[in-house]
Amino acid sequence: MSAAVLKAGLVGLGSMGRHHARVLAGLEGVDLVGVVDPMGDKNGWAQGAPVLSTVEELIALGIDYAVVACPTALHESVGLQLAEAGVCALIEKPLADTIEGARRLVEAFESRGLVAGVGHIERCNPALRSLRSRLEAGELGDVFQVVTRRQGPFPHRIADVGVVKDLATHDIDLTGWVTGQTYTSIAAHTVSKSGRPHEDMVSAVGQLSDGTMVNHLVNWLSPLKERFTSVTGERGCYIADTLTADLTFHSNAAVTTEWEALRAFRGVSEGDMIRYAIPKREPLLVEHELFRDAVLGQSADICTLRQGLRTVEVAAAVLESASTGRSVRLDDRETLPEVVAN
């Protein structure tokens, strides 16, 4: 692809939208033809593209696809406009702020045969991509547990959702993606300490379809920024730091111990530790390359709207559990039927 072949647009020029604009402006095979933001381009983030006031103006430019990076509450309305106009879309996570809204988006794009995806960017993190390939190759053996910690200070850019829909959706999606499993149950507790109407801390424990146990700790109340994922299995434990894109493997040693009491207590012994050398490309660029290829009809591993819907459903179950004090089952809930384009 030596020349621009796709006309792309961007909706939203905020803290995430500006990064999308930067990547789109330099993406091979793509021409960024317009950006929508009613507030204009106060910071010069549009990369020279025309700044428009409405989605209708963007559609009128004849775009092939659009990136939706506006507030979560607007994802549904903007996405439906694009679908009705026959425009493919990459929608920032979470797909929508409600299950019903996410379902309507799935139906709208599928019924028209349009390529659409969700920007769950952790799928493009080098450490997690390497981890997933190693799990698929069976290098860990049976998987027992996935643990994630996503902590840091409150981001003042977030006003319309709490920590579950904004941050925890990262961990929900990446857990299902790296393991290839779905959530069957979840139990959670939340607290709100910052004076906002939404929760700013959540602790959740769940189970996946193959029996793997899951633990998530997510908050906006820590001065320490942490992005931690561990996957423990029969041959050891993988640790992924998605801030630095480092992946480390701690193996179970085959060495026996003569200390009978210790052997009986520990079950496994510490073995070698390996820190892998991984090519570290920018995740957002990888995400855009994959979506561009999908729009061009090529095989590409993007997060589909159906997968994005499932993450919204699990996030809703987390909030339901926190409000009711009960564990929520997810494996007996209605599945959205496939929509076949005419």
Side-chain angles (χ1 to χ4, degrees):
M1 292 177 291
S2 58
V5 294
L6 292 175
K7 295 171 69 175
L10 171 64
V11 181
L13 203 53
S15 59
M16 193 62 200
R18 65 188 176 105
H19 294 297
H20 283 293
R22 170 180 56 80
V23 173
L24 282 168
L27 187 61
E28 184 179 9
V30 172
D31 185 14
L32 177 60
V33 300
V35 176
V36 176
D37 197 309
M39 302 298 292
D41 185 16
K42 299 179 294 183
N43 300 296
W45 290 339
Q47 303 293 319
V51 180
L52 313 170
S53 298
T54 66
V55 176
E56 290 84 358
E57 293 175 81
L58 184 64
I59 293 171
L61 296 177
I63 56 174
D64 297 296
Y65 75 93
V67 176
V68 180
C70 52
T72 304
L74 300 177
H75 285 187
E76 180 187 354
S77 60
V78 171
L80 291 179
Q81 278 184 278
L82 294 170
E84 289 168 5
V87 176
C88 300
L90 173 61
I91 303 173
E92 261 298 341
K93 65 86 202 161
L95 175 56
D97 59 348
T98 65
I99 294 175
E100 295 75 19
R103 281 173 169 252
R104 284 188 285 269
L105 285 170
V106 172
E107 292 167 343
F109 283 94
E110 283 191 353
S111 64
R112 293 168 174 84
L114 296 169
V115 176
V118 186
H120 280 292
I121 197 169
E122 291 288 40
R123 293 188 178 209
C124 299
N125 187 285
L128 293 177
R129 291 180 73 83
S130 178
L131 170 56
R132 184 191 189 216
S133 67
R134 294 175 187 281
L135 292 180
E136 288 179 336
E139 294 182 15
L140 193 62
D142 290 339
V143 176
F144 304 149
Q145 183 186 46
V146 179
V147 176
T148 70
R149 297 196 302 269
R150 188 173 296 267
Q151 306 180 90
F154 172 67
H156 295 284
R157 62 182 174 83
I158 302 298
D160 57 339
V161 295
V163 75
V164 171
K165 291 183 179 179
D166 183 67
L167 279 191
T169 49
H170 278 301
D171 295 314
I172 292 168
D173 179 76
L174 76 84
T175 297
W177 179 71
V178 299
T179 62
Q181 304 298 318
T182 59
Y183 286 75
T184 57
S185 67
I186 197 82
H189 293 282
T190 60
V191 296
S192 181
K193 297 292 186 180
S194 62
R196 301 170 66 253
H198 304 290
E199 78 289 343
D200 40 41
M201 176 180 283
V202 60
S203 178
V205 59
Q207 190 171 50
L208 303 182
S209 48
D210 65 348
T212 297
M213 184 169 66
V214 173
N215 298 83
H216 300 308
L217 177 61
V218 188
N219 78 67
W220 278 328
L221 300 176
S222 171
L224 167 68
K225 189 170 183 179
E226 182 181 33
R227 301 289 184 267
F228 170 95
T229 300
S230 73
V231 181
T232 302
E234 63 177 324
R235 295 175 186 160
C237 176
Y238 286 112
I239 304 293
D241 183 335
T242 52
L243 282 177
T244 61
D246 289 325
L247 179 64
T248 305
F249 177 58
H250 298 260
S251 68
N252 291 342
V255 179
T256 59
T257 176
E258 295 180 1
W259 188 356
E260 183 66 30
L262 182 60
R263 183 170 67 232
F265 174 74
R266 297 183 67 176
V268 298
S269 57
E270 295 176 4
D272 295 330
M273 183 182 74
I274 303 171
R275 181 175 173 181
Y276 298 104
I278 303 171
K280 297 182 179 180
R281 303 184 68 226
E282 181 185 1
L284 189 61
L285 175 59
V286 174
E287 180 179 86
H288 275 275
E289 289 175 342
L290 291 171
F291 191 74
R292 173 203 61 196
D293 293 348
V295 174
L296 290 172
Q298 302 174 20
S299 177
D301 183 19
I302 66 172
C303 178
T304 67
L305 293 198
R306 281 184 175 268
Q307 292 167 342
L309 165 62
R310 186 60 175 176
T311 295
V312 172
E313 290 173 336
V314 177
V318 168
L319 293 172
E320 178 185 341
S321 173
S323 66
T324 63
R326 297 192 297 269
S327 178
V328 176
R329 298 290 304 181
L330 287 143
D331 53 354
D332 57 358
R333 299 201 169 188
E334 179 184 0
T335 301
L336 185 67
E338 291 282 350
V339 178
V340 180
N342 295 326

